Amino acid sequence: GQNIDQPTEMTATEGAIVQINCTYQTSGFNGLFWYQQHAGEAPTFLSYNVLDGLEEKGRFSSFLSRSKGYSYLLLKELQMKDSASYLCAVMDSNYQLIWGAGTKLIIKP
Amino acid sequence: IAGITQAPTSQILAAGRRMTLRCTQDMRHNAMYWYRQDLGLGLRLIHYSNTAGTTGKGEVPDGYSVSRANTDDFPLTLASAVPSQTSVYFCASSDSDGGLNEQFFGPGTRLTVL
């Protein structure tokens, strides 16, 4: 079966760095996406990885290792507005997204 | 319209009633999707459409139907609602003709079936 695993909840301090991990087992791989979802709102796109390595976008970076079925999202210089759920999704061989349940990130002052 | 809109924003529905959730996008994206999101679970694909005139079943299609008469609209119909269909429903679209294939989401419809 297809499976995406990520921690249910994480807590971090404003100004710090946090790493959210995602492991996956899917039928085929056509890229991995990270989305941010604030409570009561729609998911919004953060990053995309299809090749191994690190993609950096301002305060956010995403890493992929296809051989390990592993990705992480790194958030630096945390701000209170970063409190949200972070969703990991893998595009499978049928070009459909398989979604993890999301990681709720709580930022404390 | 800018992006994707969904209607209604929320709805309380009696079990057994028929309900259509509306979704419209103005980005001329060829692909559209319907997901449901339940607490503790990832987004689950209900139905999708790769292009106008075609539809396909996702992970959880039972009890739902869709149509794609044109590029912009992708309504989701619950023929006879049941309490297990209580959920938040998101419509999304993407330009799947090469490129990133990033999905853009509508604001969601919160549906409660009693």
Side-chain angles (χ1 to χ4, degrees):
Chain A
Q2 307 202 94
N3 197 49
I4 311 281
D5 284 319
Q6 47 181 136
T8 302
E9 186 174 298
M10 299 181 70
T11 302
T13 303
E14 191 177 16
I17 298 173
V18 70
Q19 177 175 310
I20 301 174
N21 296 325
C22 171
T23 58
Y24 63 89
Q25 289 179 304
T26 56
S27 56
F29 180 85
N30 284 298
L32 186 143
F33 293 77
W34 284 96
Y35 279 75
Q36 181 189 58
Q37 185 177 25
H38 285 100
E41 299 183 7
T44 55
F45 170 77
L46 282 179
S47 69
Y48 171 73
N49 295 70
V50 67
L51 299 176
D52 289 352
L54 190 68
E55 293 283 341
E56 298 187 77
K57 253 188 180 182
R59 295 189 299 115
F60 291 9
S61 303
S62 56
F63 171 83
L64 174 68
S65 168
R66 288 172 296 171
S67 63
K68 295 182 179 178
Y70 167 70
S71 173
Y72 67 72
L73 180 69
L74 192 72
L75 291 74
K76 303 175 187 174
E77 301 168 17
L78 286 170
Q79 302 174 10
M80 297 304 293
K81 67 178 182 180
D82 297 330
S83 292
S85 289
Y86 291 85
L87 314 181
C88 175
V90 173
M91 185 162 284
D92 69 9
S93 56
N94 294 318
Y95 292 91
Q96 300 295 350
L97 283 179
I98 309 302
W99 296 83
T103 298
K104 182 178 181 180
L105 178 63
I106 299 168
I107 310 295
K108 296 187 174 179
Chain B
I1 298 176
I4 299 187
T5 59
Q6 292 184 235
T9 303
S10 65
Q11 182 76 43
I12 299 174
L13 190 65
R17 299 296 296 266
R18 180 184 180 90
M19 175 75 191
T20 295
L21 308 185
R22 300 185 297 279
C23 174
T24 300
Q25 54 105 358
D26 66 353
M27 297 177 283
R28 308 305 294 171
H29 284 168
N30 57 316
M32 297 187 74
Y33 315 84
W34 274 106
Y35 292 95
R36 59 178 290 172
Q37 187 174 42
D38 302 291
L39 199 62
L41 299 176
L43 288 160
R44 291 184 291 170
L45 183 65
I46 304 170
H47 285 286
Y48 65 93
S49 169
N50 288 329
T51 189
T54 69
T55 62
K57 293 181 180 181
E59 180 187 355
V60 288
D62 293 344
Y64 306 94
S65 63
V66 291
S67 61
R68 186 89 183 276
N70 56 61
T71 298
D72 299 345
D73 301 300
F74 191 43
L76 176 74
T77 297
L78 289 67
S80 179
V82 296
S84 62
Q85 292 177 311
T86 293
S87 187
V88 180
Y89 291 85
F90 286 104
C91 179
S93 72
S94 69
D95 179 6
S96 63
D97 289 336
L100 185 54
N101 207 9
E102 164 198 354
Q103 291 186 14
F104 294 83
F105 284 80
T109 294
R110 185 174 295 274
L111 182 68
T112 302
V113 182
L114 300 177

